[in-house]
Every structure is written in C-alpha cells, then in structure tokens.
Amino acid sequence: MTTVAVIPGDGIGPEVVGPALDVLDALGLGVRTDVLDHVNARTYLRTGTAMTGDDLDRVRRSGATLLGAVGDPRLSGTGYVRGVLTTLRVELDVYVNYRPARLWHDRLSPLRDAARRAIDCVIVRENTEGLYSGIGGGSRTGTPHEIAIDVDLNTRQGVSRVLEFAFSVARRSVCLVDKANAVRNGGQLWQRCWSEAVARYPHVETSHLYVDTAAMRLATDPAAFDVIVTSNSYGDILSDLAAALAGGIGMAASANLNPVTGQGLFEPVHGSAPDIAGTGTANPFGAILSVALLAEHLGRAEEADAVRRAVAAAVAAGRVTADLGGSLSTGEAGRAVLAELRQPAGRARTRQRDHRPKRAG
C-alpha cells in the first residue's frame, strides 16, 4: 500500500488540507496517510528545529507528500520556512517545480479579451538552484557601506535536466525564458543547454523570450503559451502571474518532482495566509487540485481528471469561496467538489493535459 505523507503546516494549511484529504479518500486509491502534524511553527518556536531527521525519513519513505503551507508572523527571518521548504526540495532533490495554470471559468479572468484569456499552460521552474540556493553573504551590516551578495547558481546538470522535463510534458511548444542579455554567465549556460535540448526534440515548436518580454506577453496573451521553462526566481514570479490570470492564487496547485527517483511533493501555492487563518474562508481548491496532481503522480490519471472536472463544475455553479465571488466556507466548498465528484459524469473518460512526468529509463 502506498503511503502519502501529509504536512498540514501553518495558518490556513490545515484548513485546506482537510478537504483535500476528503477528496483523496473519495478517489479510492488505496493509499494510507502518515500525518506529520507536528511539523509547524509552534514546534519550531518551542524547539528551534523545523524538521528532524526522522521527519525527513518518513517523507522519503512515502510515495508522495502533501503539504498545506508553512509560515508564521511570529517568526522573523526565513530560517523556519527554509528549514521546511528548502530542506524538502534539496534533500528530496525535487528539481522540477511544476505549476499548471488553467482558466476554470471566464468570469474569473481579469482580462477583457475572451479570445486571449483562455490560459492553459504550465510553468516548469528549476527548483533547487538559482538565486534561491542560499549561497551568498554580507559584510559591514548596518553601516552605510553594507554589502549583500546572493549567488545565482546554475549548473549544467541542473539546467539540462529541467529542460528535458519541460520537453517531455509539452503538448505543442516550449518557451525558454531567461535574461541572457544581462545575466551573461548563467544565461549563456542556459542557452547552450537549450540548443542541445532543441536538437533532441525537433518535432516540438520552440521559442525564447527575455523575462520582461515574457511577463508582458503572458499578461496580454496567455493563451499563446503551452510550456514555459525557466530559472528558480523567474519561475516563481511568472507562475504567480499565470495563477492570477487563471482565477487567483487560491486555485493554484503545484508539484515538486524528481522524475528519476519518483519523489513528489504537492502543495497549493497560496502560503499560510495568516490574515484569514481561522476564519473558515480559505479557498481549498488549490489543495484539492494538488491532490489531482498527486493522483496523477501515482499513475491514476483518470481519477485526477475526475477531480479537475469536479472543481470545474463547482466553479461553474458558483459553489465557491469569497475570493472567487461566492459565499461558501472552506468546508462547504470542499463538500461541493465531493458532491460533483460523486456524480456519474464525474467519472467520464475525457482527458485533459497529462501531467505525469516521464521517468528516466
């Protein structure tokens, strides 16, 4: 039996993980859950430890991990968040951050032009290197001559493998986004690896945009993109922009993947949202759609599609939380998806984008 590790985390994390686990249970995948509900800010405040070695071993032994959110306003600095997120991403070597963006209903789009707003794309973000590698330092802190340095780390292995993944999931095209004209060393490495990848996939349409141009194009014509592949920091920004164009951050799901080892970490991207924690108004759809990605990762594509159709039906019926223009609570919105999932049509065999990564070998 496959084990799914669950880290509810902080803020609205436990609130949205509850409905997501209800959906996971309703799918009948035959999995068991291992809930690490002590991995949170309360434990960190008490012990100074974000995750223990035993916690990490439990995650490693699982077939997949579902994460709610981490972050707490009582904590200053990034030690706790990095102690959970960076530890998981680096120790599991989940080098792909996979962020699908699909417009679930026309009314959710901030764009006026209906022909251009039908976004259905994926941001493939390098997940373990770049500016978020944690390499750097500073000196003369607090003085007029203070210096702060953050290193933008890029390796041939890291760049090549994320490009390979991007091509493996493309339906029609892949667009490389960088800033090679200004960030020359890392940019040239990305460009060399890109040329090699393009040569291996002659049947896939390819393009290249600098990140500022890509942001403008994404905001004005998001339907033009299929797969965008980019670095850690650029992908962080562009994926949130894509989420806003597709109905808001509350709908955004993500997968952190290592297609070679099969490790997968799945999470909504809205964060812990302490301003609404405990109000019962958090949108659970990002967590539920992350469960769809998790199911796909476990080889259950039909069940994943059923979840997406159930979410789409709930959105179309207006059975949503306030951020999407509705009046339902977190639990009520989750139950609306469950009700749709249990309809016979919810199991219809119609396929959407196949999110499953191809594994090496």
Side-chain angles (χ1 to χ4, degrees):
M1 178 180 289
T2 300
T3 297
V4 174
V6 181
I7 304 176
D10 307 303
I12 65 171
E15 299 175 41
V16 300
V17 162
L21 289 179
D22 289 341
V23 169
L24 179 63
D25 183 63
L27 293 178
L29 303 185
V31 301
R32 64 176 291 272
T33 56
D34 179 17
V35 181
L36 289 77
D37 53 8
H38 60 279
V39 178
N40 54 41
R42 294 190 306 277
T43 300
Y44 183 80
L45 284 165
R46 188 177 70 253
T47 67
T49 299
M51 289 190 72
T52 67
D54 180 64
D55 296 332
L56 191 57
D57 287 342
R58 287 167 65 179
V59 170
R60 282 198 183 102
R61 290 194 298 266
S62 67
T65 301
L66 178 65
L67 172 66
V70 292
D72 191 293
R74 293 173 293 177
L75 294 168
S76 60
T78 60
Y80 163 63
V81 173
R82 290 186 65 86
V84 178
L85 290 181
T86 304
T87 295
L88 288 171
R89 291 171 181 171
V90 173
E91 293 297 325
L92 300 179
D93 195 25
V94 282
Y95 60 85
V96 171
N97 181 256
Y98 183 94
R99 285 279 299 271
R102 170 189 169 190
L103 180 61
W104 296 93
H105 195 280
D106 281 353
R107 76 172 188 275
L108 303 182
S109 175
L111 302 181
R112 293 189 300 271
D113 188 341
R116 292 182 180 272
R117 66 190 179 195
I119 183 172
D120 185 11
C121 72
V122 168
I123 313 292
V124 173
R125 164 188 167 193
E126 200 291 316
N127 206 31
T128 60
E129 299 185 349
L131 280 171
Y132 299 172
S133 64
I135 299 174
S139 65
R140 302 177 183 177
T141 304
T143 75
H145 305 290
E146 182 171 350
I147 298 170
I149 299 172
D150 292 290
V151 175
D152 185 9
L153 173 70
N154 299 275
T155 69
R156 173 169 281 275
Q157 179 195 35
V159 174
S160 296
R161 65 185 185 175
V162 79
L163 291 175
E164 186 70 20
F165 178 88
F167 276 93
S168 76
V169 297
R171 294 176 302 184
R172 64 177 190 275
S173 65
V174 180
C175 177
L176 170 66
V177 173
D178 63 16
K179 195 61 177 172
N181 58 335
V183 185
R184 292 183 295 174
N185 295 316
Q188 288 170 8
L189 174 58
W190 276 84
Q191 287 291 321
R192 287 193 296 271
C193 295
W194 172 248
S195 296
E196 295 166 5
V198 168
R200 291 195 298 272
Y201 291 89
H203 60 287
V204 178
E205 180 184 341
T206 59
S207 58
H208 166 253
L209 292 172
Y210 294 133
V211 65
D212 44 357
T213 303
M216 290 188 290
R217 182 76 183 278
L218 190 59
T220 56
D221 189 13
F225 294 100
D226 178 27
V227 173
I228 294 171
V229 60
T230 189
S231 66
N232 207 333
S233 55
Y234 297 154
D236 191 4
I237 297 165
L238 291 178
S239 56
D240 279 359
L241 172 57
L245 296 171
I249 203 72
M251 297 290 292
S254 76
N256 303 274
L257 303 168
N258 185 315
V260 178
T261 66
Q263 287 286 355
L265 169 67
F266 303 85
E267 58 178 317
V269 302
H270 46 55
S272 61
D275 57 323
I276 62 169
T279 65
T281 60
N283 186 344
F285 289 175
I288 290 171
L289 290 168
S290 295
V291 163
L293 291 172
L294 188 156
E296 217 158 31
H297 176 72
L298 297 178
R300 305 297 288 268
E302 184 176 343
E303 288 84 349
D305 284 348
V307 172
R308 296 188 187 102
R309 287 192 297 272
V311 169
V315 171
R319 302 182 68 192
V320 295
T321 47
D323 60 311
L324 301 183
S327 59
L328 298 190
S329 68
T330 304
E332 289 168 339
R335 289 189 288 275
V337 173
L338 281 174
E340 295 292 346
L341 190 61
R342 288 165 178 154
Q343 296 294 322
R347 295 290 181 174
R349 296 178 63 87
T350 60
R351 295 302 308 277
Q352 301 175 38
R353 174 186 290 275
D354 186 348
H355 298 270
R356 291 170 296 169
K358 296 178 174 61
R359 298 193 182 194

